[in-house]
Structure formats: C-alpha cells, structure tokens
Amino acid sequence: MKDKNTERWNTYEPFHVVLGDKKVVDIVITNHARTRWTDRVESEKTGYSDIAEYLWECLKEDRIVSYYRNEQDVYTIDEDLVFVAEFAISETETDLLGNPLHKMIIVTFLGRMSETMELRDLKTYYSWLRHSRRMTLIKNNRKRR
C-alpha cells in the first residue's frame, strides 16, 4: 500500500521511508500475516489496507526498529509488537539517482512482547519451538508403530 496522504508537488521522486539501509516505497502484506494480525494483534481493523496504513504511520514516525542489530528480518514496533519482514527491490520505482527502492513484505506477526513473554528472547523461543515440534513428531511416530 502506498501512502495515500502524500502529495508530491514538482518532484519526480516517489515517496519513501528509510528503515535501516532500505528505502521502503511500498508495503505488501501476505495472507499469513493478515491471519496472524487477526489472531495475535487486532480483531477490529483486520483489512490489508488497515494493517498497511498502521505500518506506514509507524514507519513515518520512526517507531519500527530492528529486533537484533545484525539480522534484518525481525522488527519491533514500539518495542512491543514483533513481526517478520523481507525486502524486495521494487521493479517500478527508483529514486532520482537511480538507486533501487524496496518493497517491505510482511511475512508474519509474532505477537506482542507484553502479552507473550517468550518473544523477549526469540532465539530461545525458536529453539524451544523446534524442540517441542520434534518431540511431538517423535511421539506421533511411536503411536503409528
């Protein structure tokens, strides 16, 4: 979703917001991210445009930061809402110098740290999740024998 409220007078450069080393020009929300938004974040404003509008406002207000310093796929909003995003180079948009601009693809929303304490340390959470899934698979495998 592009910013509807931006007016560009006498400029040929598309509107973009800088996030780290990326210049975000568009936000794409996957179906999975939308269902996770409904389950874990908000139950009233659940449309694609509602989610994208919220993310644009957070981007413009510089409220989105990287969860880890070195990795650039997990981000937080207001140090609470955790989400996973990927970036793709926009095929249609470049800045005035010809540098590429990026689409931010929202993969999933993990939830709020204030509600899910496990999100405070994602590496531990993911290792626990992998372990619990592996144990479930082993248990189900025993039942089939």
Side-chain angles (χ1 to χ4, degrees):
M1 172 180 172
K2 298 192 182 216
D3 196 351
K4 294 178 184 175
N5 300 329
T6 304
E7 294 181 20
R8 290 182 273 156
W9 302 40
N10 299 327
T11 180
Y12 298 101
E13 185 171 34
F15 176 78
H16 64 271
V17 179
V18 176
L19 179 63
D21 61 343
K22 308 280 193 259
K23 294 178 181 178
V24 179
V25 72
D26 199 5
I27 295 176
V28 177
I29 299 176
T30 62
N31 291 332
H32 179 73
R34 186 179 161 277
T35 57
R36 293 294 186 178
W37 174 272
T38 305
D39 294 344
R40 299 177 178 180
V41 181
E42 175 87 33
S43 60
E44 295 175 14
K45 293 187 174 185
T46 60
Y48 291 104
S49 60
D50 296 327
I51 300 167
E53 185 178 333
Y54 173 74
L55 289 171
W56 264 121
E57 291 304 314
C58 292
L59 268 173
K60 288 192 287 186
E61 295 169 3
D62 204 25
R63 294 168 40 199
I64 298 178
V65 295
S66 180
Y67 187 86
Y68 296 114
R69 293 187 192 271
N70 298 334
E71 297 180 31
Q72 295 194 2
D73 56 347
V74 180
Y75 293 90
T76 61
I77 299 173
D78 298 330
E79 297 180 4
D80 188 31
L81 179 60
V82 183
F83 67 96
V84 179
E86 294 177 350
F87 293 91
I89 295 175
S90 176
E91 298 86 24
T92 57
E93 313 258 8
T94 60
D95 64 4
L96 286 174
L97 300 174
N99 297 325
L101 298 176
H102 297 85
K103 292 186 288 187
M104 182 165 73
I105 302 166
I106 307 299
V107 178
T108 188
F109 290 96
L110 298 177
R112 296 188 184 276
M113 283 191 241
S114 57
E115 296 171 3
T116 310
M117 297 304 286
E118 292 86 7
L119 292 176
R120 294 189 183 271
D121 185 15
L122 275 184
K123 291 183 179 176
T124 305
Y125 175 67
Y126 278 132
S127 68
W128 170 81
L129 203 59
R130 278 193 300 275
H131 176 72
S132 65
R133 285 184 183 153
R134 187 170 43 239
M135 295 310 284
T136 303
L137 289 173
I138 290 171
K139 189 168 58 172
N140 289 343
N141 193 16
R142 286 183 196 148
K143 287 180 184 177
R144 283 189 212 135
R145 288 182 186 174

